Amino acid sequence: MAARLLDVRDLRVEFRTRDGIAEAVGGVSYAVDAGRTLAVLGESGSGKSVTAQAIMGILDSPPGRITGGQVLFQGRDLLTMGAEERRRIRGAAMAMIFQDALSALNPVVPVGAQLAEMYEVHLGMSRKDARRRAVELMDRVRIPAAAQRAGDYPHQFSGGMRQRIMIAMAMALEPDLIIADEPTTALDVTVQAQVMELLAELRREYAMGLVLITHDLGVVADVADTIAVMYAGRIVETAPVRDLYRRPAHPYTRGLLDSVPRVDHRGERLYAIKGAPPSPLALPSGCPFHPRCPRAQEVCRVERPPLYEVPAAGAAPASGGRTSACHFWKDELDALDAVNV
Amino acid sequence: MPEPFDPRYDMTEAIAPAGGGGGGGGGGGPVDPAASGPQALKGGSILNGGPPRGPWRLPLPWRKEPGRRLGGPAAPTGRGLWTDAWHDLRRNPIFIVSALIILFLVVIAIWPQLIASGNPYHGDLAKAQDGPAPGHPFGYDLQGRDVYTRTVYGARASITVGICATLGAALLGSALGGLAGYFGGWWDALLSRIADVFFGIPILLGGLVFLSVVTSGSVWPVVGFIVLLGWPQISRIARGSVVTVKEHDYVQAARVLGASSGRTLLRHIAPNAVAPVIVVATIALGTYISLEATLSFLGVGLKPPTVSWGIDISSAAAQIRNAPHMLLWPAGALSITVLAFIMLGDAVRDALDPKLR
Amino acid sequence: MPSTPSMSESRTTEPVLEVRDLAKHYPLTRGVLVKRRIGAVRAVDTVSFALRRGETLGIVGESGCGKSTVAKLLVSLERPTAGTIHYRGEDIARLSGRALRAVRRNIQMVFQDPYTSLNPRMTVGDIVGEPFEIHPEVAPKGDRRRAVQELLDVVGLNPEHINRYPHQFSGGQRQRIGIARGLALRPEIIVADEPVSALDVSVQAQVVNLMESLQDEFDLSYIFIAHDLSVVRHISDRVAVMYLGRFAETGTGREIYDHPTHPYTQALLSAVPVPDPEPRTRPPRILLAGDVPSPANPPSGCRFRTRCWKAQDRCATEVPVLAVPTGLAGPAAHASACHFAEERAEVRA
């Protein structure tokens, strides 16, 4: 089997704080292939962004520290490779899109020049060629009147347009992998839809792998192939998108799905997961979700559940396996099937 | 979290202070239903004054759920600005050293006779400019007075000027700046322009002009002058800080409740806006002390017979070649004092600036 | 939400708040000491609505549409440039001093950010008890501590935690503290400005459920302002869609969400992501072109016309009024500020 585009294995990150060591990422594994979209879903503090920073090599350290695991990119471990080699890969083969485009762009350089710089530095193009390519790229991400607007500064663009420029920056060198960290969270819904559409289209066109990090169950439903749900620094469930929404195999996923109000029908009273996510400084014993879990038993308090293999329904096997970190995943699915039948 | 299980608040446990242990704050034990249960709480609907509008107790679904105590809900780090700052400061050697020096200086400013038994005014011309002698470790000055005694007594003037001028400038500056920041409008514009005018006055030139007309040798004209030139700096900081804090939702919330301006300023804005003012004032204290010495050196600050480092440095300056000890000791004392206050200010700033954590 | 027929009947009778032609323009000035007026940001323009007792009016719109300004006007944090806000027959926009303070007892607010809406230097007891200090007539001094504990209990917090500080609570718990503070004076109306958008998904539902329970319990009327159409649909009886300072469309939840007639509402709804990879009923997505124009220089006529696919010459010259369009029947017959209001054909299919 050919090496996967990105294969994260048992990644561990901890943060040293004044109040002790916080285990922000406690053994996360996920993978994405070229041309596929993996959505990493989690609430704030679930470790989804820290994982991405560790993959990209932009983790703030100190206080952060990678304490274990592998990040295989096209079969090679990024964590053991030299700094220079890693930087080259980061520039050309993988790129990242951030939530806040305004702070990710240089405020005193016109956007066209910022894009052109990518070509000048990485591809050694002449200034004139680089400029031309920059305008082409802006046009490609559908910025109206790109040629005129290339001379504008970031603050002169609207939020949606700035996010397009961010996407253009990430796309400039046609990377194999893009990691997008909450790319549309700061945007209004109408703009959000445009940006997601663009991102999906570019991914198809260039056959890139896309890791989409978000807290929004709605955003990922349309675009993701596989979803990994994170809770308290761990993956609790990985599943093809359809299975995850139809038959979640972890009580946390199920709780999330039930607690979101929906625009397409007015529901009864919302289901609410009780309590709040735990502090990474004081993770509960056993399964970190057990204090909030309606299904929790004594074993959940004592024994940390491994990632159980869950049979995927329908045509799913192509998109990889299905896992759940719940001792009672079978009961969870049976209960769901009983309701649905 | 070995806390007893109380089904009624299974999802509502507050986060115990990280340092205080899970059972801190008396929240550990089960709530005594007789004391705080619904019946007791219901009482006669206190909130309405009139007839009860229905039972307070609500059929909230999560209360019926048999659940268990939470593990540790997400705890934002930190225990409040001041507690955190104190925690930082106690471990900061710079803070400890400078605080000890300042404590020592304050003590000898109040009771100089504790370590200097002589009389700072008593001179013996026969010993003028003599070097160290037994019982007179720092030697004698031009008038044959004991340099050690004068250096010890000189602390009083410096510390008095430093503390009084800082207090005056801080109070005036934060009052004016705070009000300008809170009310805004023309008052703000006017005050900012006035502050600009004072900023524009060169401090030495201003001192020479203002203080040369004063005949009193006491510390108060100098204190007054420093306050006059020092408040604009504080007022700018205070104004900026109040403008930031004013935008916070809790201030808006107080206004929605109908809180008066006075209440809003004192309870909500001042406690949250004061930190930057304290930092700037502590650093300014050191510079005010050196400013006093500079003015005294130039002959327009304190005047004899007041004992001051600035005056002694001034009179010693001419003799620097044949009697360097006369200059060395008061100048050294001055440097150490200024340094101690500036170091203290730095340490306080680092401790109060959350971005540095 | 369980609502008996008699309840919904009472909801349609008694308006507690009536807003007429409300406008707020922020002047744009230039100059340092002498300020020259060079224009105005029209944050809110001719907004009218009525709020009935026990009802929830949801106001949705994208950032910059003026919905938060409406909230500030309703709780008198800002003074309107024009228009009236009648609460029980009295125009509160003209009140000040003692009279305004008295009205404030009845109109309270819940804020968006649970981290900045509580004073970090005050204990929970002081925060929730502050309303009683400002309005001493509400609770006698000796009873205040008990009243505060009662309130904490009502919002689902442990009354024993009265001496803790806000940072010792999680986001959801802080929002409960903010709700307890808003509830202390037993107001009739609560204006909630994005009360759950800063919370995590799993905690959002807790707070929404709490707000619904409190509404039934205390017969509260809510103005619920949010950008999240899903949450608004869930909690609201009636919904107003706002665009660039004006209401584009108002109606019941079903009318707005299932039978929208204003193009903006239709586009907005079609863009909302649904947590379902294969939704059963889903109109094709309408991608709007361009961005929202600046409120300092809004388009003439219909403000949505620059992004509207139905726009005609008439839209540039004639401001569409918010009224029930002629020729529409059934649930589509609700107020819509569009010259060409009609349901989307695809929705029905």
Side-chain angles (χ1 to χ4, degrees):
Chain A
M1 188 175 134
R4 311 195 72 160
L5 178 62
L6 176 75
D7 195 353
V8 180
R9 291 186 185 166
D10 198 31
L11 186 69
R12 289 166 190 277
V13 179
E14 55 181 42
F15 280 83
R16 279 161 198 283
T17 71
R18 203 215 314 259
D19 300 316
I21 291 176
E23 191 187 51
V25 178
V28 160
S29 306
Y30 57 61
V32 62
D33 293 318
R36 313 292 292 182
T37 301
L38 167 77
V40 181
L41 192 74
E43 296 180 279
S44 55
S46 63
K48 58 189 193 300
S49 293
V50 175
T51 310
Q53 288 165 3
I55 294 170
M56 285 301 290
I58 53 168
L59 187 70
D60 280 337
S61 80
R65 206 160 66 88
I66 296 172
T67 54
Q70 290 177 301
V71 177
L72 300 176
F73 181 73
Q74 293 167 335
R76 299 193 303 153
D77 189 358
L78 293 177
L79 297 182
T80 54
M81 129 189 333
E84 180 53 37
E85 193 179 2
R86 189 160 186 197
R87 191 159 56 237
R88 250 198 323 270
I89 289 184
R90 190 160 68 213
M94 52 202 284
M96 189 152 176
I97 298 170
F98 299 91
Q99 174 179 345
D100 183 3
L102 189 56
S103 66
L105 293 169
N106 186 339
V108 296
V109 178
V111 295
Q114 291 189 51
L115 284 168
E117 195 190 336
M118 304 276 295
Y119 291 116
E120 285 176 51
V121 172
H122 286 279
L123 302 183
M125 280 190 185
S126 73
R127 171 153 293 199
K128 201 170 141 228
D129 287 347
R131 281 288 152 110
R132 191 175 44 74
R133 285 288 292 272
V135 171
E136 277 172 24
L137 194 58
M138 285 173 71
D139 205 46
R140 182 68 197 81
V141 295
R142 290 201 218 98
I143 289 169
Q148 287 93 323
R149 299 222 66 184
D152 286 353
Y153 292 89
H155 71 268
Q156 291 168 300
F157 290 85
S158 67
M161 287 299 149
R162 272 199 296 267
Q163 200 55 276
R164 285 165 192 271
I165 291 163
M166 276 290 292
I167 293 174
M169 295 272 282
M171 290 298 306
L173 304 175
E174 295 177 19
D176 301 311
L177 173 74
I178 284 195
I179 298 180
D181 189 357
E182 303 268 10
T184 59
T185 304
L187 304 177
D188 283 320
V189 273
T190 51
V191 184
Q192 194 173 48
Q194 300 167 354
V195 170
M196 283 314 298
E197 201 102 324
L198 174 69
L199 212 51
E201 184 190 311
L202 292 172
R203 193 218 47 178
R204 274 193 303 273
E205 191 176 321
Y206 294 96
M208 299 179 300
L210 176 63
V211 177
L212 180 67
I213 295 163
T214 180
H215 70 279
D216 191 327
L217 283 154
V219 165
V220 296
D222 284 351
V223 293
D225 299 305
T226 312
I227 297 185
V229 182
M230 283 188 75
Y231 183 80
R234 293 176 181 135
I235 303 255
V236 293
E237 177 166 8
T238 314
V241 61
R242 205 169 161 275
D243 285 359
L244 189 106
Y245 284 88
R246 289 274 179 270
R247 296 174 78 229
H250 194 285
Y252 175 64
T253 317
R254 167 108 195 261
L256 276 185
L257 286 169
D258 286 352
S259 63
V260 196
R262 292 180 56 156
V263 76
D264 52 350
H265 50 81
R266 176 176 180 147
E268 290 299 301
R269 189 175 192 88
L270 292 176
Y271 172 81
I273 304 177
K274 62 192 173 183
S279 156
L281 284 166
L283 289 179
S285 62
C287 170
F289 187 60
H290 85 261
R292 306 176 71 189
C293 183
R295 201 173 276 286
Q297 308 274 330
E298 182 58 21
V299 61
C300 304
R301 202 172 56 73
V302 184
E303 197 183 313
R304 180 172 160 186
L307 272 176
Y308 294 101
E309 292 281 335
V310 177
S319 51
R322 210 191 146 175
T323 54
S324 164
C326 178
H327 292 302
F328 301 102
W329 63 269
K330 234 186 199 107
D331 300 346
E332 185 72 25
L333 282 182
D334 289 347
L336 263 177
D337 293 342
V339 174
N340 287 345
V341 168
Chain B
M1 295 276 163
E3 291 189 89
F5 160 56
D6 175 3
R8 292 194 306 121
Y9 302 112
D10 63 308
M11 57 151 303
T12 61
E13 185 197 1
I15 301 144
V31 181
D32 179 8
S36 56
Q39 297 83 5
L41 282 173
K42 192 172 150 194
S45 184
I46 325 159
L47 300 182
N48 201 18
R53 264 191 204 173
W56 276 107
R57 189 76 181 146
L58 303 174
L60 299 183
W62 55 80
R63 293 196 173 146
K64 291 182 195 152
E65 272 173 32
R68 63 212 77 220
R69 282 278 189 180
L70 293 181
T77 53
R79 280 147 293 221
L81 185 66
W82 300 108
T83 330
D84 267 352
W86 179 236
H87 191 261
D88 270 11
L89 285 176
R90 265 188 335 204
R91 298 169 167 198
N92 185 347
I94 292 182
F95 170 79
I96 292 170
V97 169
S98 56
L100 285 177
I101 294 175
I102 289 165
L103 188 71
F104 171 73
L105 287 166
V106 169
V107 168
I108 65 160
I110 300 171
W111 301 289
Q113 56 276 21
L114 279 180
I115 58 162
S117 53
N119 181 343
Y121 305 111
H122 175 78
D124 184 351
L125 282 175
K127 292 178 180 162
Q129 300 192 45
D130 277 6
H136 302 277
F138 295 1
Y140 298 87
D141 70 359
L142 259 181
Q143 318 278 338
R145 293 172 302 197
D146 180 35
V147 173
Y148 171 72
T149 311
R150 285 189 68 85
T151 304
V152 171
Y153 274 79
R156 177 177 286 178
S158 294
I159 299 289
T160 311
V161 169
I163 289 179
C164 292
T166 305
L167 275 181
L171 289 179
L172 185 69
S174 40
L176 292 177
L179 291 175
Y182 182 67
F183 290 106
W186 65 268
W187 164 242
D188 183 20
L190 183 71
L191 190 97
S192 299
R193 296 295 86 75
I194 294 176
D196 286 348
V197 169
F198 278 96
F199 263 122
I201 298 175
I203 206 150
L204 282 183
L205 189 63
L208 287 171
V209 172
F210 283 119
L211 292 174
S212 61
V213 300
V214 177
T215 49
S216 155
S218 75
V219 296
W220 304 115
V222 179
V223 168
F225 171 72
I226 296 178
V227 169
L228 198 66
L229 288 197
W231 72 266
Q233 186 198 9
I234 306 267
S235 92
R236 274 200 181 171
I237 301 291
R239 180 186 171 277
S241 181
V242 166
V243 166
T244 313
V245 172
K246 191 173 76 166
E247 292 307 314
H248 282 163
D249 282 348
Y250 54 81
V251 177
Q252 306 286 325
R255 287 182 58 203
V256 173
L257 287 170
S260 62
S261 291
R263 180 185 186 86
T264 310
L265 264 170
L266 290 179
R267 282 217 70 174
H268 296 282
I269 295 183
N272 290 292
V274 76
V277 173
I278 288 180
V279 169
V280 173
T282 328
I283 295 174
L285 209 155
T287 61
Y288 291 168
I289 289 175
S290 73
L291 179 61
E292 176 269 318
T294 311
L295 292 170
S296 300
F297 178 86
L298 293 172
V300 293
L302 306 180
K303 297 179 183 72
T306 307
V307 184
S308 138
W309 294 332
I311 294 171
D312 284 3
I313 293 169
S314 170
S315 62
Q319 315 295 329
I320 188 159
R321 279 166 180 270
N322 44 17
H325 66 269
M326 278 169 56
L327 182 71
L328 211 61
W329 294 107
L334 177 71
S335 305
I336 288 173
T337 308
V338 172
L339 191 66
F341 276 107
I342 289 180
M343 276 176 5
L344 182 82
D346 261 357
V348 170
R349 183 189 59 203
D350 290 355
L352 283 179
D353 188 349
K355 273 172 279 180
L356 292 175
R357 294 223 175 89
Chain C
M1 204 175 64
S3 67
T4 59
S6 67
M7 268 177 80
S8 52
E9 199 171 286
S10 77
R11 279 177 187 181
T12 53
T13 48
E14 199 187 338
V16 284
L17 195 72
E18 263 190 293
V19 171
R20 283 268 153 272
D21 296 329
L22 197 63
K24 177 71 188 175
H25 299 173
Y26 294 97
L28 288 170
T29 56
R30 194 172 279 165
V32 184
L33 252 187
V34 187
K35 296 211 159 79
R36 270 183 311 119
R37 209 184 136 123
I38 56 167
V41 174
R42 295 156 170 270
V44 175
D45 236 355
T46 61
V47 160
S48 305
F49 61 87
L51 180 69
R52 298 184 196 97
R53 180 154 199 131
E55 177 190 53
T56 301
L57 172 69
I59 301 180
V60 281
E62 297 180 280
S63 54
C65 73
K67 56 191 192 301
S68 287
T69 309
V70 171
K72 286 183 177 161
L73 291 167
L74 293 179
V75 296
S76 307
L77 275 176
E78 299 272 7
R79 291 274 158 156
T81 312
T84 59
I85 305 168
H86 280 278
Y87 167 74
R88 299 209 166 274
E90 207 173 10
D91 182 8
I92 64 170
R94 305 277 166 271
L95 294 181
S96 61
R98 190 178 290 270
L100 178 61
R101 234 166 53 112
V103 168
R104 286 201 142 126
R105 263 191 67 180
N106 292 306
I107 307 177
Q108 277 300 309
M109 183 156 180
V110 173
F111 291 83
Q112 168 176 8
D113 187 345
Y115 290 88
T116 65
S117 63
L118 306 177
N119 187 338
R121 306 255 182 282
M122 285 163 74
T123 63
V124 171
D126 288 341
I127 290 169
V128 180
E130 188 173 32
F132 303 137
E133 283 183 41
I134 295 168
H135 301 267
E137 70 281 4
V138 179
K141 215 166 188 153
D143 284 341
R144 280 185 200 157
R145 192 184 155 84
R146 214 155 63 91
V148 168
Q149 291 188 320
E150 201 174 327
L151 280 163
L152 292 181
D153 190 59
V154 159
V155 298
L157 290 170
N158 189 337
E160 300 278 298
H161 294 159
I162 188 164
N163 287 325
R164 295 192 174 182
Y165 285 89
H167 68 262
Q168 292 171 289
F169 294 86
S170 66
Q173 290 173 323
R174 284 166 181 240
Q175 201 56 302
R176 288 168 192 267
I177 297 168
I179 291 173
R181 172 178 61 194
L183 216 55
L185 301 172
R186 301 292 302 267
E188 277 189 276
I189 300 166
I190 285 189
V191 179
D193 187 4
E194 303 267 11
V196 297
S197 48
L199 303 176
D200 270 324
V201 183
S202 73
V203 180
Q204 245 182 29
Q206 294 171 1
V207 173
V208 168
N209 285 347
L210 173 69
M211 288 188 68
E212 289 187 338
S213 305
L214 294 174
Q215 177 167 45
D216 294 346
E217 183 63 29
F218 300 115
D219 205 11
L220 294 165
S221 307
Y222 286 147
I223 304 273
F224 192 99
I225 294 169
H227 70 274
D228 184 335
L229 285 105
S230 316
V231 176
V232 168
R233 168 162 214 185
H234 182 81
I235 199 167
S236 305
D237 301 304
R238 285 190 306 131
V239 177
V241 181
M242 209 169 166
Y243 184 80
L244 216 54
R246 287 194 187 140
F247 280 0
E249 186 168 4
T250 60
T252 64
R254 187 164 155 259
E255 285 167 350
I256 296 290
Y257 285 86
D258 296 338
H259 305 275
T261 62
H262 195 288
Y264 177 62
T265 314
Q266 290 166 353
L268 201 59
L269 282 172
S270 79
V272 177
V274 173
D276 192 338
E278 294 151 339
R280 271 150 285 182
T281 54
R282 189 83 174 129
R285 186 175 283 174
I286 304 167
L287 282 184
L288 285 180
D291 288 314
V292 184
S294 158
N297 187 20
S300 65
C302 173
R303 294 198 169 170
F304 184 59
R305 71 176 165 83
T306 51
R307 301 171 75 193
C308 184
W309 62 96
K310 288 185 183 172
Q312 311 272 327
D313 292 345
R314 183 183 169 197
C315 302
T317 51
E318 198 181 319
V319 179
V321 271
L322 184 66
V324 181
T326 50
L328 292 180
H334 57 268
S336 175
C338 177
H339 296 305
F340 307 103
E342 60 174 350
E343 281 193 70
R344 273 176 83 188
E346 303 92 322
V347 181
R348 293 215 183 112

